[in-house]
């Protein structure tokens, strides 16, 4: 059975995410600017679930020598390469099914995973982190104030099949899972969304650093 993310048109996903009633595309872009422009001493970054590349315009080529964009949808990756041809010399897009093929992930010093863990689960994310062996991990999860995790819009039925792979997120559980593989929490931020949901950014560092 194909992963539901392979069936969702990028235009529907992005148009839903940028609605005034949702505001996730815009909020994520701002938060990702902060993730990429941290003072962490890194020169490589891997972005899991890169979708259409939202936020890649904040890549500083004076800082990053390598950028990996990972997604299960090959059409998304094709769009990323077209949109961000200005960083083509350092950007490498890879189609990887994180649930089945985490062993194919390359190493990188900074791992960014935004609105991704919800769709692969804690255990798969832990395996991905162990494979990538980053110095720093920065992830954004969505916390729902009610049982609705997809905001209402004219695009809502495009996401119906995601219910098969969606996992409810809890900050403390994610913190404990990363602690179990020797990553400690060093930062936490929250951004409220118009629909009452909130995005929570959690940053970790490996304890050996």
């Amino acid at each position: 059975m194909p992963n539901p993310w392979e069936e969702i048109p990028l235009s529907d996903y992005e148009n839903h995410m940028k609605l005034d009633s949702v505001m996730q595309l815009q909020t994520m872009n701002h938060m990702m600017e902060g993730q990429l422009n941290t003072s962490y001493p890194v020169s490589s970054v891997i972005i899991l679930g890169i979708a259409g590349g939202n936020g890649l315009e904040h890549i500083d080529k004076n800082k990053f020598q390598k950028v990996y964009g990972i997604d299960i949808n090959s059409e998304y990756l094709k769009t990323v390469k077209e949109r961000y041809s200005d960083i083509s010399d350092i950007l490498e897009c890879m189609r990887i099914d994180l649930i089945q093929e985490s062993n194919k992930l390359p190493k990188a010093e900074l791992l960014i995973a935004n609105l991704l863990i919800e769709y692969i689960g804690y255990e798969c994310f832990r395996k991905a982190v162990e494979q990538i062996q980053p110095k720093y991990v920065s992830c954004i999860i969505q916390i729902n104030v009610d049982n609705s995790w997809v905001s209402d819009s004219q695009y809502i039925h495009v996401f119906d099949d995601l219910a098969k792979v969606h996992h409810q997120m809890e900050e403390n559980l994610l913190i404990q899972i990363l602690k179990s593989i020797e990553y400690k929490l060093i930062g936490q931020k929250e951004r409220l969304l118009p629909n009452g949901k909130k995005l929570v950014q959690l940053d970790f560092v490996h304890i050996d650093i």
Side-chain angles (χ1 to χ4, degrees):
M1 183 181 73
N3 187 295
W5 279 110
E6 295 181 85
E7 308 295 326
I8 297 174
L10 183 61
S11 59
D12 287 350
Y13 171 67
E14 292 184 334
N15 285 332
H16 168 81
M17 292 281 280
K18 70 183 182 183
L19 288 170
D20 290 343
S21 59
V22 180
M23 287 290 289
Q24 286 196 15
L25 201 72
Q26 302 92 321
T27 305
M28 291 282 292
N29 187 284
H30 178 74
M31 296 178 77
M32 193 166 177
E33 181 178 10
Q35 289 175 303
L36 291 168
N37 293 329
T38 64
S39 58
Y40 303 152
V42 297
S43 60
S44 60
V45 58
I46 184 167
I47 303 166
L48 302 183
I50 197 168
N54 182 36
L56 281 183
E57 66 269 28
H58 304 303
I59 289 288
D60 182 356
K61 292 180 70 173
N62 292 318
K63 175 177 181 176
F64 290 104
Q65 299 174 9
K66 190 68 179 182
V67 178
Y68 294 102
I70 310 299
D71 209 282
I72 195 171
N73 190 310
S74 57
E75 290 300 313
Y76 291 4
L77 296 174
K78 180 181 177 182
T79 299
V80 171
K81 288 187 283 187
E82 292 171 351
R83 286 178 174 175
Y84 300 96
S85 58
D86 58 314
I87 58 170
S88 60
D89 54 330
I90 62 170
L91 175 63
E92 182 175 349
C93 291
M94 303 174 68
R95 185 200 173 279
I96 295 177
D97 180 344
L98 294 173
I99 296 174
Q100 305 289 339
E101 305 172 317
S102 62
N103 62 307
K104 295 182 179 180
L105 289 165
K107 310 299 182 192
E109 294 171 312
L110 171 62
L111 163 58
I112 292 178
N114 297 336
L115 301 188
L116 167 93
I117 307 170
E118 288 90 333
Y119 300 105
I120 65 172
Y122 295 115
E123 181 62 18
C124 285
F125 183 61
R126 182 188 63 78
K127 289 180 179 178
V129 174
E130 290 182 306
Q131 171 65 24
I132 297 165
Q133 298 178 12
K135 297 177 181 177
Y136 299 90
V137 176
S138 183
C139 48
I140 296 173
I141 59 176
Q142 177 177 298
I143 302 300
N144 305 310
V145 294
D146 52 33
N147 292 325
S148 173
W149 50 274
V150 177
S151 300
D152 190 24
S153 80
Q154 63 265 43
Y155 304 100
I156 191 169
H157 292 299
V158 174
F159 306 103
D160 285 349
D161 285 346
L162 289 181
K164 300 173 183 176
V165 294
H166 182 263
H167 303 74
Q168 197 73 11
M169 290 288 100
E170 297 179 26
E171 298 109 305
N172 290 336
L173 184 52
L174 180 56
I175 291 168
Q176 289 303 312
I177 287 170
L178 285 180
K179 183 179 180 181
S180 73
I181 54 174
E182 303 188 319
Y183 284 87
K184 67 178 180 180
L185 184 70
I186 56 173
Q188 183 168 346
K189 300 176 183 177
E190 294 185 359
R191 290 289 300 271
L192 294 177
L193 300 172
N195 51 20
K197 304 178 190 303
K198 67 178 178 179
L199 299 182
V200 177
Q201 177 181 333
L202 301 170
D203 283 13
F204 303 85
V205 64
H206 195 273
I207 62 172
D208 287 343
I209 296 174

